[in-house]
């Protein structure tokens, strides 16, 4: 073995292997453990060790109304949030891609919500939605509307969570759309204009096809993280009123850390990861190039 | 240059749209700041008071109490330690992946990125059980250990790309001069990758600071971080605690906003530069 090869081996062992093993033990092993525990009957409070129970947990899940409802609720939320935020984000990117004074400052300010701590986003909207300290119902009353039970009316509370999410994550979509728009060569837009295209035509025929891949990646990333929504409803509603904002992550959290049904919760986790993988595969079919 | 005709009307429309965007984006933050500065007497006024004599009572109460300074110090410790650990470990791993060919490197990369696609909740139960069994509940070290693992995949991924853009000839020249690959990392790569290291460092800091689920499950008193600790003011059910909630929220997002404005250069320029390439 040459000196360099030996030194490379040395560097591999010294710089790579420890970090890799660490990651493997702390992230991969627990994931495998979760899969394993989904086939057991295991309540942490009972003090008894897990007992192998076959696919019993999965069979129960199929008839678990509150779990299935929370899956549907989360999927609907994820689809609505992704669509609204993508459209708004693209519109804002088109707007802020034009020339105007203080453009950098405006762009920076428009990005701010994206980095705000999710638990704080929950608190900010908890304050805004409140009847006594919040301004929203007062603003509505100026227009002769309301008052609205933003966080107390089960029929609309998911919409309130959605509103907070749109405020929080539209800037992320805007950022990705702006980056993609800036990469579109100016010549192709100029050529379209010379050919007499209206702004709307050049958007549809030149810009959108050029940034379609980015839009798809942005939508997939956002849909997946919206599917994991946790901190905001935890802070704003705790899943209520009733179970109106019981998202999948909240449902899993409660099942594990309030009722300590670890085996059953394991099955819920496996099913939700399965849904994520399925969604991901479907989206890849639509745009193989984006992968 | 613009090919679009600029009429006074379209310019007015543009200004109006930008103003509406900024109001929508900034009003929630502005209202939170207002609430944190309102004297208790005007806090519940309807219609809400927008002009009042601001007071720092809530901030003073929060910072002179027993809990919040501890939450805050915990958040700083965890975020800083995690950032240093991830950036160190992650850039070393990325360096090996980018410059040293080895068998199974593709498989290794897959296993590094795989956890990134799992929702955080997937590994939380085994982690919780193991931490409890090992008697490591409610410790800052435990949080740092698991937050580092949560950030690491992204850092390896970004830094691997970044290190690949550094000309390999520089590294090879250092080998000819007698550097070992490990020395090459510290003498050549670290100085050249400094902007990338700073960027991933800031991203790790923001990610860790914002973490909620992990500290919620793994702490209950000593190691509680600011985002989780804030909940005790919401759940207090006491009157006039709104000011404290708002003041705590303002203090909690302050470090993230500072970090983000520092990162802004990388976000708006770095990202678009990458997109053009």
């Amino acid at each position: 073995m040459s000196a360099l090869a030996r030194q490379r081996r040395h560097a591999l062992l010294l710089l790579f292997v420890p970090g890799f093993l660490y990651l493997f033990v702390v992230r991969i092993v627990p994931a495998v453990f979760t899969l394993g525990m989904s086939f057991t009957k295991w309540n942490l409070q009972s003090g008894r060790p897990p007992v192998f129970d076959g696919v019993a947990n999965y069979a129960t899940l199929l008839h678990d109304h509150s779990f299935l409802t929370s899956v549907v609720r989360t999927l609907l939320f994820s689809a609505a949030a992704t669509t609204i935020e993508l459209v708004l984000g693209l519109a804002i990117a088109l707007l802020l891609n034009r020339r105007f004074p203080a453009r950098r400052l405006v762009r920076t300010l428009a990005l701010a919500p994206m980095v705000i701590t999710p638990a704080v986003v929950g608190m900010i909207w908890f304050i805004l939605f409140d009847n006594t300290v919040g301004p929203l119902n007062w603003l509505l009353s100026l227009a002769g509307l309301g008052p609205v039970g933003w966080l107390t009316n089960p029929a609309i509370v998911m919409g309130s969570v959605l509103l907070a999410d749109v405020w929080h994550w539209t800037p992320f979509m805007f950022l990705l759309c702006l980056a993609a728009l800036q990469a579109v060569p100016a010549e192709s837009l100029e050529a379209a204009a010379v050919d007499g295209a209206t702004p709307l035509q050049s958007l549809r025929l030149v810009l959108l096809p050029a940034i379609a891949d980015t839009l798809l990646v942005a939508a997939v990333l956002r849909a997946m993280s919206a599917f994991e929504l946790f901190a905001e409803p935890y802070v704003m509603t705790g899943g209520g009123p009733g179970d109106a904002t019981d998202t999948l992550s909240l449902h899993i959290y409660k099942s594990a850390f309030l009722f300590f049904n670890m085996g059953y919760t394991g099955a819920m986790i496996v099913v939700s990861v399965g849904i994520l993988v399925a969604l991901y595969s479907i989206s890849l079919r639509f745009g193989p190039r984006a992968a | 240059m613009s090919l679009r005709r600029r009429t006074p009307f379209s310019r007015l429309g543009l200004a109006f749209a930008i103003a509406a965007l900024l109001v929508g984006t900034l009003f929630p933050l502005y209202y939170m700041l207002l609430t944190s500065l309102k004297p208790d007497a005007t806090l519940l006024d309807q219609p809400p008071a927008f002009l009042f004599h601001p007071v720092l009572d809530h901030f003073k109460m929060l910072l002179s109490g027993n809990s919040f300074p501890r939450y805050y110090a915990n958040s700083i410790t965890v975020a800083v330690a995690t950032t240093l650990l991830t950036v160190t470990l992650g850039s070393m791993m990325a360096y090996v992946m980018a410059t040293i060919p080895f068998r199974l490197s593709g498989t290794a990369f897959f296993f590094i990125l795989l956890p990134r696609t799992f929702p955080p909740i997937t590994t939380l139960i085994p982690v919780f059980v193991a931490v409890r069994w090992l008697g490591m509940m409610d410790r800052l070290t435990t949080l740092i250990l698991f937050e580092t693992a949560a950030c690491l995949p992204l850092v390896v991924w970004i830094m691997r790309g970044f290190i690949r853009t550094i000309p390999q000839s520089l590294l090879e020249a250092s080998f000819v001069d007698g550097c070992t690959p490990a020395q090459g990392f510290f003498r050549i790569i670290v100085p050249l990758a400094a902007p990338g290291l700073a960027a991933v460092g800031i991203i790790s800091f923001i990610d860790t600071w914002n973490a909620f689920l992990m500290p919620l499950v793994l702490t209950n008193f000593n190691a509680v971080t600011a985002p989780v600790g804030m909940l005790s003011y919401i759940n207090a059910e006491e009157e006039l605690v709104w000011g404290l909630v708002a003041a705590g929220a303002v203090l909690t997002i302050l470090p993230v906003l500072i970090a983000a404005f520092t990162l802004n250069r990388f976000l708006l320029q770095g990202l678009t530069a990458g997109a053009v390439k």
Side-chain angles (χ1 to χ4, degrees), chain A residues 22 34 108 117 133 138 167 182, chain B residues 25 31 47 122 145 210 264 272:
Chain A
Y22 165 57
T34 302
T108 307
T117 312
V133 287
W138 168 69
W167 178 78
Q182 288 178 339
Chain B
T25 306
Y31 196 82
T122 40
L145 195 73
N210 285 351
N264 184 44
T272 47

Side-chain angles (χ1 to χ4, degrees), chain B residues 206-231:
Chain B
I206 295 176
D207 258 13
T208 312
W209 185 280
N210 285 351
F212 185 70
L213 192 55
M214 194 93 79
L216 181 70
V217 172
L218 296 182
T219 68
N220 44 50
F221 183 76
N222 288 316
V224 171
T225 57
V228 175
M230 285 308 303
L231 291 177

